[in-house]
Amino acid sequence: MSGHHEMVLILDFGSQYTQLIARRVREARVYCEIVPYNADLSGYDTGRVGAYILSGGPASLHDAQAPRLEHGFFDIDRPVLGICYGMQLLADRFGGRLVKSEKREYGRAHFEVTADSPLFSGMPRRSQVWMSHGDSIEQLPSGFAALGSTESLQAAAIADEKRKIYGLQFHPEVHHTAEGKIIIENFLFDICGFKGDWTTEAFIESSIKDIQNRVGDGKVVLGVSGGVDSTVCAVLISRAIGENLHAVFVNNGLLRKNEFADVTAMLRTLEINLHPVDASGLFLERLAGVSDPERKRKIIGNTFIDIFEEQAEKIGGIEFLAQGTLYPDVIESTSFKGPSVTIKSHHNVGGLKDRMKLKLVEPLRELFKDEVRVLGEKLGLPGAFIRRHPFPGPGLAVRILGDVTEERCRLLGEADAIFIEELHRRGIYDDIWQAFVVLLPIKAVGVMGDERTYENVVALRGVTSVDGMTADWARIDHDVLAQISNRIIREIKGINRVVYDISSKPPATIEWE
């Protein structure tokens, strides 16, 4: 992105922690990007790259197939920090000797600083670190000295201070490494001399310029879903080009209770040029009698594209399609582990670009989710909105097991509203990553007064998660669950039984289908 004065390039060797490195660097207000270790770096404006970080990875340099960098890479005159596998690459490249360790060391260890180095300034002599290695350095590479050791490793940190090349045999980016933040900041500020001026304000300013340069007087169309990403995307583009942004908000009949009206009102107060379309009738008509989850998703995606295209034709003369793509999606599709197999639902309207020949505008493609939330706050979105739980593109359709009908959507919408309202009332909504209700395709016997009833069963689902990759069921207080259950059964005619889902992910997914 233009406008960054300084950046770090992180070369990815396949560590599960690579995204964490990027987040730590950005928390220090330095811009960074992740690229596969074998990417063609000549495509980068290397004048802007102020430093390189080599990630960890599962390989061993004893394997012939181990990923390596081109020999010439190290002729760059830039600071380098190698982490775990990255450190072994450095040792190997500069003539050190590696031996396979007796035992693969993984987990907590005590690190002791044994030599003065700007990398460890302001740190206690001994601290806890998170180790990970199968090989260790038997003979130091030429020009390098050991900076620190652990119980089992003489050289747990090495450096060639003259060339500003550093290696760590532990992960400073994970929170089990007590002083990790200091180490990363020492590298960025003391060793690389970065200023740390990559702030949200700077991002907004440079994004607006970028969008204006790219779009000029062209018209941009954007599908908004009521989610955080597409809304922040809309506000940012609107700041840049005003009325030339056309945001299309489609009611697919599968939104939460009052969602269409609420989101429409909010986007209007943010002065977005909005085209609300109520197509709930068409969606429900096409979904009639369909219970297979994949077919539901396909029908919803295709119907969305039909309506979106129809709107775009009405507006006329559109050249650009905007999308709220985030950085993790970008990384997933470029990582050397092979392209990601999961295709996100209709938010990233894949079918459109090809049929409509539109040029893409993706202002959030360099941001992580938490950065998008901060951006939303700075752009003036209501806080309660920014903290909302994620909601799937196909909406209630994947939470109604079996056929989707208007009546079942209404039942589920009512139950869901009660669940969420109670979580807010008790002040626990923000502690939960996602909470929702699922309507099951079974009926159960109950009694209401003297009458036997034969009505619907709903399941409540609440999960806690840091990133959505893994999730644990939320331990919601029993009294709160009792209150929610009572209200749902009492207030909604047609539901007489409420159950709570206590499965974690993996093996279960967050959504039921």
Side-chain angles (χ1 to χ4, degrees):
M1 187 169 83
S2 63
H4 294 314
H5 324 294
E6 48 183 34
M7 73 173 280
V8 174
L9 209 50
I10 299 167
L11 304 189
D12 183 14
F13 290 90
S15 165
Q16 56 179 340
Y17 301 128
T18 305
Q19 282 197 29
L20 269 186
I21 302 173
R23 294 177 63 158
R24 297 293 169 256
V25 171
R26 291 180 179 200
E27 281 161 12
R29 298 185 161 185
V30 174
Y31 181 68
C32 62
E33 284 180 27
I34 297 172
V35 293
Y37 75 94
N38 53 2
D40 177 7
L41 297 183
S42 62
Y44 271 78
D45 166 9
T46 40
R48 259 184 46 226
V49 178
Y52 292 87
I53 295 179
L54 315 180
S55 87
S60 157
L61 278 159
H62 291 285
D63 308 337
Q65 291 84 39
R68 283 181 159 76
L69 289 167
E70 290 164 33
H71 214 67
F73 171 80
F74 291 101
D75 301 338
I76 51 163
D77 185 22
R78 293 278 187 282
V80 177
L81 173 63
I83 296 174
C84 297
Y85 183 77
M87 161 157 156
Q88 289 164 7
L89 273 175
L90 296 176
D92 183 64
R93 165 67 181 80
F94 292 107
R97 211 166 56 234
L98 296 170
V99 290
K100 250 193 161 43
S101 298
E102 291 301 296
K103 57 178 203 300
R104 207 186 148 75
E105 193 178 1
Y106 188 78
R108 292 181 177 78
H110 290 287
F111 175 71
E112 185 162 353
V113 179
T114 54
D116 275 342
S117 165
L119 191 61
F120 300 133
S121 74
M123 245 178 86
R125 278 203 85 77
R126 283 178 69 84
S127 62
Q128 178 186 283
V129 297
W130 187 255
M131 293 293 287
S132 157
H133 74 103
D135 299 343
S136 52
I137 296 177
E138 189 179 47
Q139 188 190 329
L140 285 175
S142 56
F144 282 75
L147 301 179
S149 61
T150 63
E151 300 93 304
S152 63
L153 273 192
Q154 274 302 193
I158 61 172
D160 176 340
E161 302 272 8
K162 259 212 305 294
R163 300 180 54 184
K164 296 190 174 179
I165 299 179
Y166 295 83
L168 300 173
Q169 197 52 72
F170 56 86
H171 288 280
E173 69 275 23
V174 305
H175 72 88
H176 303 302
T177 295
E179 307 294 333
K181 187 173 163 7
I182 294 185
I183 296 171
I184 288 171
E185 290 183 355
N186 286 342
F187 178 69
L188 297 172
F189 302 132
D190 301 354
I191 292 163
C192 304
F194 287 136
K195 291 189 287 295
D197 53 9
W198 192 67
T199 57
T200 311
E201 289 80 358
F203 177 83
I204 292 171
E205 211 173 298
S206 63
S207 286
I208 287 175
K209 280 201 196 83
D210 282 353
I211 294 164
Q212 288 166 340
N213 291 339
R214 177 153 165 70
V215 171
D217 299 326
K219 289 188 195 172
V220 178
V221 67
L222 164 70
V224 288
S225 63
V228 177
D229 306 341
S230 64
T231 305
V232 170
C233 193
V235 177
L236 193 57
I237 296 173
S238 176
R239 287 276 168 96
I241 61 170
E243 292 293 298
N244 275 343
L245 168 69
H246 295 267
V248 176
F249 181 32
V250 178
N251 181 5
N252 56 13
L254 307 164
L255 301 172
R256 286 170 282 207
K257 187 181 175 183
N258 300 336
E259 177 89 345
F260 188 57
D262 294 348
V263 173
T264 299
M266 182 193 65
L267 291 171
R268 290 242 158 93
T269 61
L270 293 165
E271 293 174 10
I272 306 286
N273 176 13
L274 189 68
H275 302 260
V277 188
D278 189 351
S280 47
L282 179 62
F283 278 88
L284 290 169
E285 192 182 303
R286 290 190 179 179
L287 284 167
V290 176
S291 54
D292 175 67
E294 277 318 300
R295 274 192 61 213
K296 284 182 195 173
R297 285 173 192 272
K298 253 205 186 63
I299 290 168
I300 294 164
N302 291 336
T303 307
F304 177 80
I305 289 178
D306 292 345
I307 289 165
F308 195 79
E309 283 187 337
E310 190 184 302
Q311 288 298 310
E313 270 161 40
K314 258 192 211 151
I315 297 160
I318 289 170
E319 291 173 69
F320 296 91
L321 169 69
Q323 290 189 165
T325 314
L326 303 194
Y327 199 41
D329 298 325
V330 176
I331 298 170
E332 258 182 18
S333 59
T334 59
S335 89
F336 66 86
K337 302 179 196 78
S340 161
V341 288
T342 51
I343 304 296
K344 301 279 182 331
S345 61
H346 74 243
H347 288 316
N348 304 348
V349 260
L352 282 168
K353 300 194 285 293
D354 325 321
R355 301 211 327 232
M356 295 172 71
K357 303 283 178 277
L358 296 174
K359 299 195 276 267
L360 270 186
V361 177
E362 299 178 306
L364 311 180
R365 62 176 283 126
E366 298 169 347
L367 302 184
F368 289 106
K369 189 79 177 187
D370 47 348
E371 294 174 316
V372 173
R373 291 200 166 111
V374 174
L375 178 60
E377 266 170 57
K378 287 276 192 292
L379 289 168
L381 285 166
F385 175 79
I386 288 166
R387 292 190 300 273
R388 281 173 70 173
H389 295 174
F391 186 66
L396 301 181
V398 292
R399 294 174 177 177
I400 293 173
L401 307 191
D403 291 1
V404 178
T405 63
E406 191 174 354
E407 171 59 9
R408 302 187 84 189
C409 285
R410 190 192 63 76
L411 276 181
L412 181 54
E414 296 286 345
D416 198 69
I418 291 174
F419 188 16
I420 299 303
E421 190 183 305
E422 286 296 323
L423 295 178
H424 277 300
R425 215 166 60 82
R426 307 281 182 138
I428 55 179
Y429 179 85
D430 291 342
D431 306 331
I432 295 172
W433 168 267
Q434 224 174 345
F436 55 90
V437 181
V438 181
L439 185 61
L440 305 186
I442 47 180
K443 294 245 164 128
V445 172
V447 283
M448 291 269 176
D450 298 333
E451 299 283 299
R452 280 169 78 81
T453 59
Y454 195 56
E455 292 175 343
N456 293 283
V457 182
V458 295
L460 306 180
R461 178 78 159 136
V463 297
T464 54
S465 175
V466 177
D467 51 12
M469 305 296 277
T470 59
D472 196 8
W473 58 278
R475 296 345 188 228
I476 298 173
D477 185 279
H478 293 176
D479 294 341
V480 179
L481 288 175
Q483 168 74 359
I484 293 163
S485 168
N486 288 341
R487 276 195 62 192
I488 288 175
I489 294 169
R490 209 175 52 238
E491 295 173 30
I492 306 170
K493 191 168 165 32
I495 297 174
N496 68 358
R497 196 171 288 259
V498 175
V499 300
Y500 189 57
D501 178 351
I502 54 169
S503 334
S504 296
K505 170 188 177 183
T509 49
I510 293 179
E511 296 288 344
W512 277 42
E513 57 174 53

